[in-house]
Amino acid sequence: MTKQYKLLTPGPLTTTQTVKEHMLEDRCTWDDAYKNLTQTIRQNLLEIAEANPETYTTVLQQGSGSFVVESVLQTALSEKDHVLIISNGAYGNRMIEMAQRINKRVTAVKVDFENIPDFQQVEAVVQDNPSITHIAMVHCETTTGILNPLLPFTEIAEKYNLITIVDAMSSFGGIPIHVEELNIDYLISSANKCIQGVPGFGFVIAKQATLNNTKGNAQSLALDLYDQWQTMEQDKGKWRYTSPTHVVAAFHQALIELDKEGGVEARYNRYRELNEYLRKHLSEIGFEPYIEDANQSPIITTFLYPYETFDFNDFYQKMKEVGFILYPGKLMDTPSFRIGNIGDLEIEDLYNLIGNIRKYLLEEAE
């Protein structure tokens, strides 16, 4: 048997045994039962987003979260459109690179990784560039664990009649997001994040009126979100190309378990409790968070090295030996590492982690 680790990452994450078990059955993509499963998932995601099905739709897309982000950029932006992308981390920067690679017109507003965006500055950029038609941002930037506020972002979009693209990869399902109330056009997330499924597909919750105007925009066949939507609508849950059937079944079970936990609000409270516990007790033994409390997400935390000679690779291996997988840092100029606290985790898991970290520090000090 392969050793079962607790994955302290922002996804893939530790899943429940029951989610895993739903991957044991083989399914056919053409079968009505499987298509009905897809339709149920699409409807459930709209309910989680608090989005009216007469106004919004859900489109499932094969691949990792990055595939789905690129699918939206391919489809949402025509040759005439101009997107403003706000970035304070590696994943915002990846979105900028995607838009540039597919020859979309893009203006970037880059912010220091430890800061949330200055939305007055963002508005000034919009005012100076009247050709801007779309605005995009990562909600929870897992580079650092910072949580970017959505309301000032969507207020700018509404004021200047811009179409919104929100990368909620690491927040949807774990942080309440009222998609319709915020008037978001495209919200993007993935199966293997806060809903606690496994990797293999992502999804877009999109305003139907906005998506309906994108026919022919995509220069990619496989990543054409409009065509994927039309096929799912017309053939009642059929994916255009081979879908990850085992992953879809696991995700359906994960949605059931989210509901049993008490929905997004209950999961958010669990994540927040875990995150606060983690930051409090690690700070007590010398691991300081990179992001200040006011801007910290309840999903993942970046910790600074506790001393100059700290060897992360050795620390990583020692934690792995006792059953925990940590996450390397993404800050090139600041020695750091990350600990995620989403997935099938409880306080007892973090209590054990911190006990093992204390033991490690004592052994290193000898």
Side-chain angles (χ1 to χ4, degrees), residues 21-32:
E21 287 171 355
H22 275 73
M23 292 188 286
L24 296 175
E25 180 182 338
D26 299 321
R27 293 169 173 81
C28 175
T29 59
W30 289 91
D31 187 75
D32 284 342

Side-chain angles (χ1 to χ4, degrees), residues 61-64 66-76 102 218-228 240-241:
Q61 181 71 282
Q62 298 93 326
S64 71
S66 292
F67 283 64
V68 187
V69 172
E70 189 161 332
S71 176
V72 171
L73 295 174
Q74 279 275 7
T75 305
I102 60 179
Q219 298 302 298
S220 165
L221 177 64
L223 297 181
D224 190 327
L225 189 72
Y226 176 87
D227 281 359
Q228 184 88 332
R240 279 188 304 157
Y241 309 124

Side-chain angles (χ1 to χ4, degrees), residues 73-131:
L73 295 174
Q74 279 275 7
T75 305
L77 299 167
S78 71
E79 292 180 354
K80 298 178 181 178
D81 289 325
H82 180 184
V83 61
L84 170 64
I85 302 177
I86 305 164
S87 174
N88 57 352
Y91 299 96
N93 288 346
R94 185 181 297 178
M95 198 187 302
I96 292 166
E97 184 179 359
M98 285 177 182
Q100 292 170 337
R101 285 282 190 99
I102 60 179
N103 296 315
K104 301 299 184 180
R105 189 177 178 190
V106 56
T107 292
V109 173
K110 293 191 176 182
V111 182
D112 291 341
F113 284 11
E114 71 269 24
N115 295 327
I116 63 171
D118 179 343
F119 288 99
Q120 289 185 333
Q121 178 196 1
V122 172
E123 184 171 2
V125 173
V126 173
Q127 289 173 335
D128 290 342
N129 294 271
S131 62

